[in-house]
Amino acid sequence: MSRRIITTFLASIIVAMFFLTSAFLIISNLQKLELVSDKLETNNEVLMNYMEATDIDPIILLRSANKSFRMTLIDERGNVIFDSSGKETFENHLLRKEIVDAFSYGTGSDVRVSESLGIQMVYFANLLPDGRYIRSSMESGSLDLGNQFTKYMAVAFVLVIGLAYFLAQRISNYLVEPINEMTFATERIANGEYTRRVSVRRDAELGKLGINFNNMAARLESTFLENQDKQNRLEAILKSMNSGVFAYDNQDQIIMINPFCKELFGIYGDVIGKNIYDIKELRDLIFMLETEKDAVEVRIEKPIRKDIRIKSAEIYGDRVLRVGTVVVLEDITDLKKLEKMRSQFVANVSHELKTPLTSIKGFSETLKFVKDDETRNKFLDIINDESERLTRLINDILTLSTIEQTKTIKHEEIDVAKETETVYHLLLPKAEAKNITLKLTQTEPIMLYGDRDNYKQLILNLVDNAIKYTKESGEVRILLDKQGNSLKLVIEDTGVGIPEKHVSRIFERFYRVDKARDRAMGGTGLGLAIVKHIVLSMDGTIEVESEVGKGTRFTIFIPIKNDL
């Protein structure tokens, strides 16, 4: 830009000088022509005065005139009588401009190329009293300004060009420097350096331009930081969501996708800017949404089997124009599992409640027609047993529900040895009745903080189950130990054991390994489910090892926490 300004400025100066020089030369030439014309007029007047004073022959007088002038004598008809050029034959001069003017006004002048000599001449003619014309002429080439003038003009031209270049350079730097500074600042801002500013000039126009530029940069920085903050918040929200979200524009280019969505479909790498139909997993979803107006529930098998609910909504920008579509993928796998568990639980509860109620109802109706006391007492015993079984079932359901719904965890001091020993003495008669050896071993005193009733329920359920499924002359062992910063609780028996295929499901509600045997023993199918929920409520873990015919071993680890 600086070169363009300098070139334009110099070109303007050169053109201006050209026109000024041309005008000067033209004016000078006109002035000199006028001066020569005056000389010619003076020469003619001198000759005419001399002719009047001496009555000398005009031809003789013209021959003796100044040799720098070409002298011509023309008769009243326009014929050349005499010409100092030495040429003998001439065309008629009556219509020559200087002759015509002399005929009309007494004098006349003209500047033209001489037809006889072929060079440009200046002519001046006077009308003599006898009707003839005396004419003086001089070559216009003799009006040369001279070498000295040319040198002066050349020097002046060079000086003016040099001065013009210097001024153009200063003006260019003055104008271009702030522009270059703004260009550099603009490049830095475009590269993310939003704090870049330009210096403010004292000049009114440039100073105002600098102030406006800095204000614009400050607003741009503020807008960028605000948008970046919004973008960061949006990204944080999208990353923390347990739902998949992706969006694409009107050209089907992906404009946003959150990590959960990529993880859900096993998508790796950056897919922003790619066509939505180039990604198979997302393309299939779009096809489903095109055929369904409401939310769609589908199951995907890879990379992980998931149930998802799909919803879509259009994105509108300025002027309420559609700019894209956003799709939300909700993982409903756990919800489906809960619905299935709820259905199974309702079915199991209904079944478990129906069985004793059916027995109670049947035997109570039969009692109306029984006369025999022995048979009546037998039926009453069955009704009593079924009532107790129903009571145990309801109590277990209530216990499980209480544990699941309890939000506030108790922080009671639990003397592990004391509470375990209480359960030990409570179940010892039941073990002795089956000739089962019940052992309690503790390596050191251990104190826990938590719900004391839940802990006792935990021990009671496990030990009671162990006694229940251990044959006569068997053994049940309770081991209390401290491992690291955790309580290690082991309940081990020499009972019937659990087949390997059932081990992973024994903590499910109402799940029974042998339904007939479990019901005969009075089990409700909720004992181990209660145990698992208690362990989880205490931030513990439970492990099961079992071998059919040899026994089962439950190992529980519960963190030892300080009283809060």
Side-chain angles (χ1 to χ4, degrees), residues 367 370 372-383:
L367 282 175
V370 174
D372 184 16
D373 292 338
E374 183 178 352
T375 303
R376 184 184 295 110
N377 291 332
K378 181 180 179 182
F379 286 174
L380 289 172
D381 290 338
I382 293 173
I383 292 173

Side-chain angles (χ1 to χ4, degrees), residues 82-326:
F82 171 79
D83 189 270
S84 63
S85 65
K87 189 177 179 180
E88 296 182 356
T89 59
F90 293 92
E91 296 178 354
N92 189 280
H93 281 45
L94 190 61
L95 299 179
R96 301 293 171 87
K97 182 179 183 300
E98 66 275 12
I99 301 302
V100 173
D101 289 344
F103 177 78
S104 301
Y105 308 110
T107 61
S109 63
D110 191 21
V111 180
R112 69 176 180 274
V113 177
S114 173
E115 294 181 0
S116 58
L117 300 179
I119 58 177
Q120 189 176 43
M121 301 287 290
V122 179
Y123 299 95
F124 193 90
N126 289 83
L127 179 63
L128 296 176
D130 57 5
R132 291 183 296 180
Y133 301 92
I134 183 172
R135 187 184 72 177
S136 301
S137 61
M138 181 182 290
E139 295 182 13
S140 61
S142 63
L143 302 175
D144 186 14
L145 297 175
N147 293 332
Q148 194 69 20
F149 175 79
T150 304
K151 290 180 181 179
Y152 287 153
M153 288 298 296
V155 172
F157 188 81
V158 171
L159 290 176
V160 169
I161 293 298
L163 180 61
Y165 180 82
F166 174 74
L167 293 176
Q169 186 73 37
R170 293 293 301 272
I171 294 173
S172 173
N173 292 338
Y174 182 75
L175 295 176
V176 172
E177 184 178 350
I179 296 176
N180 289 336
E181 184 180 3
M182 290 183 185
T183 301
F184 178 76
T186 303
E187 291 176 352
R188 300 307 300 171
I189 291 174
N191 291 329
E193 192 177 327
Y194 295 99
T195 57
R196 174 67 63 175
R197 299 291 183 271
V198 298
S199 56
V200 178
R201 306 276 174 151
R202 295 181 179 179
D203 221 59
E205 291 79 8
L206 292 177
K208 186 175 181 180
L209 179 62
I211 292 172
N212 291 340
F213 181 89
N214 289 341
N215 290 338
M216 180 190 68
R219 292 185 63 182
L220 181 63
E221 180 184 9
S222 176
T223 302
F224 173 79
L225 293 176
E226 183 179 350
N227 290 336
Q228 190 177 42
D229 186 49
K230 290 180 180 178
Q231 182 69 20
N232 291 337
R233 288 200 298 265
L234 179 60
E235 288 182 359
I237 292 171
L238 291 175
K239 287 181 180 179
S240 63
M241 288 178 63
N242 288 327
S243 298
V245 180
F246 69 90
Y248 57 96
D249 58 22
N250 293 336
Q251 286 73 44
D252 299 323
Q253 306 295 318
I254 298 175
I255 56 178
M256 183 271 293
I257 183 169
N258 72 336
F260 188 87
C261 183
K262 296 174 71 173
E263 182 181 353
L264 192 64
F265 292 102
I267 299 173
Y268 300 98
D270 186 12
V271 295
I272 301 298
K274 292 186 178 180
N275 192 288
I276 193 74
Y277 292 101
D278 291 340
I279 302 174
K280 180 180 181 301
E281 295 81 2
L282 302 183
R283 179 179 67 239
D284 294 341
L285 293 182
I286 300 302
F287 288 151
M288 291 180 190
L289 291 172
E290 290 176 352
T291 57
E292 297 286 343
K293 294 183 179 180
D294 298 326
V296 182
E297 292 185 3
V298 297
R299 171 172 290 180
I300 59 175
E301 301 292 340
K302 295 180 180 179
I304 303 174
R305 186 173 183 178
K306 293 279 188 180
D307 292 302
I308 58 175
R309 181 183 291 123
I310 313 168
K311 295 181 181 179
S312 66
E314 294 183 343
I315 306 173
Y316 293 94
D318 296 338
R319 301 178 183 176
V320 198
L321 296 177
R322 178 182 177 274
V323 296
T325 304
V326 61

Side-chain angles (χ1 to χ4, degrees), residues 47 50 56 59-67 82:
L47 291 175
Y50 192 79
I56 190 171
I59 296 176
I60 296 174
L61 182 62
L62 294 179
R63 284 180 176 174
S64 62
N66 193 336
K67 300 300 181 182
F82 171 79

